[in-house]
Amino acid sequence: MSSELVTCKDLWLSYGTVTALSGVNLTLAAGRIVGLLGPNGSGKTTLIKLLNGLIQPTSGTVTIQGLTPGPKTKAQVSYLPDRPYFADWMKVGDMLDFFEDFYLDFRRDKAEEMCGRLGLKKNVRIRTLSKGTLEKLQLVLVMSRRSQLYLLDEPIAGVDPAARDFILRTILTNYNEDGTVLLSTHLISDVEQVLDEVVFLQEGHVILHDNVDAIREREGKSVDALFREKFRMGGQGGKDNVW
Amino acid sequence: MDFEIRDSRPIWQQLAQQLRQRIVTGVYPAGGRFPPVRELAAEAGVNPNTMQRALGQLEADGLLITNRTLGRSVTEEVQVLEGMRRQLAQERVEEYFADMKTLGYSRGEAAALVEEGRRGENEQ
């Protein structure tokens, strides 16, 4: 099908003796907002890094629009890492220049407008920004690209509810409608209503992949409630604790 | 009146219900233009596909009319609007009875309590 954007086939990844992904099969269609959900250590970040070409699979394949992650896919994939990655001596304006230089699909006018709404001046140094403001700035830059795939690793972790609201609205109003957003989080109740579908990861396996409303219809409970149930009661296997 | 996603029912159903309420109470007047999906989705903070599904339901209800060139508008048919207003009222009555049942009141007793409340109001 031409609407398939992401395909993972029997994807395995081991870090030495630790297996992070154990045979993941996953297809994501274009034009969707997808939640990648799972407890800490379930493989969310690993999967996102594989889609981004930052690490290579131990076995199996991952493709984006039929291509193995590399320079060609990176031009169409917008990535928000799970930790700050901007050089702290740079200024907000430097970051805008940097993104404009680097990505053909960067919409500078959009980024400037959103920075304006956040009250972020171009001559402010990254170092002086609070954690929440820095996360918002990173998200603004990432969402200002017109990409096929947005990979957002924990975009709402560690920020206050108002910042969370800003971030979710920024995602909703700026993503490319023909593209797909894959967003990892463990704060499900906050994001449930922005998602089309969810992927539950547990110990490197995909244990559920379905539409949010299909789950609500079938289970008679929210995805958040289902998640709590699966990972409280289903997590008795010894490996569940990452330490 | 803000959109609220409060319970475990499918999100599109909760949106559809709140939009029906807005239509029958004239927030979106009869015959008037209806806001575009993306605008409503942004207002509610929900996925546009989910809002689209809610609007599909309102079209099936006959509350919204889709015109290829002009977009969506609210129906002008008073009968349809009045019928929906009645349906929403009946749903709340059923909710009331169900709630009273948890307190141990029969439907007759619950109805008598409503009547008592109405008389009390008249006396004030």
Side-chain angles (χ1 to χ4, degrees), chain A residues 169 177 193-194 196 213 216, chain B residues 7 9 11-12 42 47 49:
Chain A
R169 274 173 201 277
E177 283 163 76
Q193 62 192 49
V194 314
D196 284 293
D213 273 347
R216 283 169 166 255
Chain B
D7 54 44
R9 283 177 304 146
I11 293 163
W12 72 269
N47 188 298
N49 293 325

Side-chain angles (χ1 to χ4, degrees), chain B residues 28-64:
Chain B
Y28 307 121
R33 285 276 310 270
F34 199 72
V37 179
R38 284 192 73 85
E39 192 181 311
L40 286 169
E43 188 198 331
V46 301
N47 188 298
N49 293 325
T50 311
M51 185 57 82
Q52 178 69 48
R53 194 164 171 201
L55 297 192
Q57 179 60 50
L58 297 195
E59 281 168 13
D61 292 342
L63 291 174
L64 291 184

Side-chain angles (χ1 to χ4, degrees), chain A residues 40 238-243:
Chain A
N40 293 329
K239 266 202 326 187
D240 195 47
N241 253 326
V242 280
W243 50 83

Side-chain angles (χ1 to χ4, degrees), chain A residues 2-60:
Chain A
S2 58
S3 68
E4 269 180 20
L5 186 64
V6 172
T7 313
C8 300
K9 283 197 186 123
D10 197 26
L11 195 58
W12 289 76
L13 190 117
S14 307
Y15 299 105
T17 56
V18 180
T19 303
L21 293 181
S22 323
V24 166
N25 289 297
L26 183 68
T27 350
L28 299 179
R32 317 281 286 166
I33 304 182
V34 185
L36 182 60
L37 314 176
N40 293 329
S42 55
K44 302 189 293 289
T45 295
T46 299
L47 181 57
I48 285 180
K49 284 183 174 170
L50 279 165
L51 289 170
N52 213 5
L54 286 176
I55 48 178
Q56 299 301 318
T58 308
S59 69

